[in-house]
């Protein structure tokens, strides 16, 4: 949370109300409501991009639209459609920007493109290096 609990929940409820006002379908779709609630809970404080060293702020409304569209297109794992809003917070709250999420979805090796293997994909998709291409330690 961004501070005291009462303030955090107020921000989350305000954000949820904004989403419902802008996307009335939320009131008719249990899945879109769960995505909206998860997004509101997550984005009650700033979510920043890991790749930008937490300089770029990820837009919560854009993140809601992205996952709503992907849900409609049925491109997500089956469990996405079943889990609670509380668990969806971990999905919508990813520190990756949308273009990174798209890249990862498009480039996931087939052997990892399943719910029980996806957690292992990062080790093959991105080479871990202790020094970047400029010779600077990643730990500095």
């Amino acid at each position: 949370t961004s501070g005291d609990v009462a303030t955090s929940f107020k921000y989350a409820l305000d954000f949820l109300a904004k989403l419902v006002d802008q996307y009335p379908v939320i009131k008719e779709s249990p899945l879109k409501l769960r995505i909206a609630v998860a997004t509101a809970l997550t984005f009650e404080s700033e979510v920043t991009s890991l790749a930008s060293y937490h300089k770029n702020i990820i837009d919560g409304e854009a993140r809601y639209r992205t996952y709503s569209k992907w849900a409609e297109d049925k491109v997500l794992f089956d469990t996405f459609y079943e889990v609670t809003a509380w668990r969806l917070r971990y999905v919508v709250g990813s520190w990756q920007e949308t273009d990174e999420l798209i890249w990862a979805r498009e480039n996931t090796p087939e052997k990892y493109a399943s719910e029980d293997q996806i957690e292992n994909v990062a080790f093959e998709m991105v080479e871990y290096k202790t020094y970047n291409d400029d010779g600077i330690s990643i730990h500095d």
Side-chain angles (χ1 to χ4, degrees):
T1 61
S2 60
D4 71 89
V5 174
T7 301
S8 295
F9 281 122
K10 180 186 179 324
Y11 288 143
L13 288 172
D14 287 347
F15 187 58
L16 179 59
K18 176 184 169 186
L19 288 174
V20 171
D21 284 345
Q22 291 181 328
Y23 308 96
V25 70
I26 290 170
K27 295 182 235 177
E28 302 163 11
S29 168
L31 176 59
K32 295 219 175 173
L33 177 59
R34 287 196 309 274
I35 298 169
V37 169
T39 304
L41 289 170
T42 303
F43 286 85
E44 59 80 21
S45 59
E46 286 184 351
V47 176
T48 55
S49 162
L50 184 62
S52 72
Y53 298 97
H54 299 286
K55 293 177 185 160
N56 295 346
I57 298 170
I58 297 171
D59 182 310
E61 184 181 342
R63 184 57 54 96
Y64 166 79
R65 286 193 312 269
T66 297
Y67 275 98
S68 289
K69 175 78 170 101
W70 288 345
E72 287 173 13
D73 294 345
K74 302 283 189 203
V75 297
L76 303 167
F77 291 131
D78 289 342
T79 52
F80 180 89
Y81 303 93
E82 301 164 4
V83 298
T84 65
W86 191 250
R87 291 216 171 186
L88 283 176
R89 293 174 310 124
Y90 298 107
V91 177
V92 300
S94 170
W95 291 340
Q96 282 64 49
E97 295 188 42
T98 301
D99 59 335
E100 295 172 285
L101 294 171
I102 292 168
W103 180 89
R105 285 185 47 243
E106 291 174 350
N107 291 284
T108 298
E110 191 64 35
K111 67 182 180 180
Y112 294 112
S114 66
E115 293 176 53
D116 59 336
Q117 290 298 315
I118 194 68
E119 66 189 56
N120 300 311
V121 73
F123 302 111
E124 188 169 312
M125 290 180 72
V126 179
E127 178 186 355
Y128 180 80
K129 301 191 282 186
T130 55
Y131 291 88
N132 70 15
D133 292 340
D134 296 327
I136 299 170
S137 171
I138 62 165
H139 301 287
D140 291 340

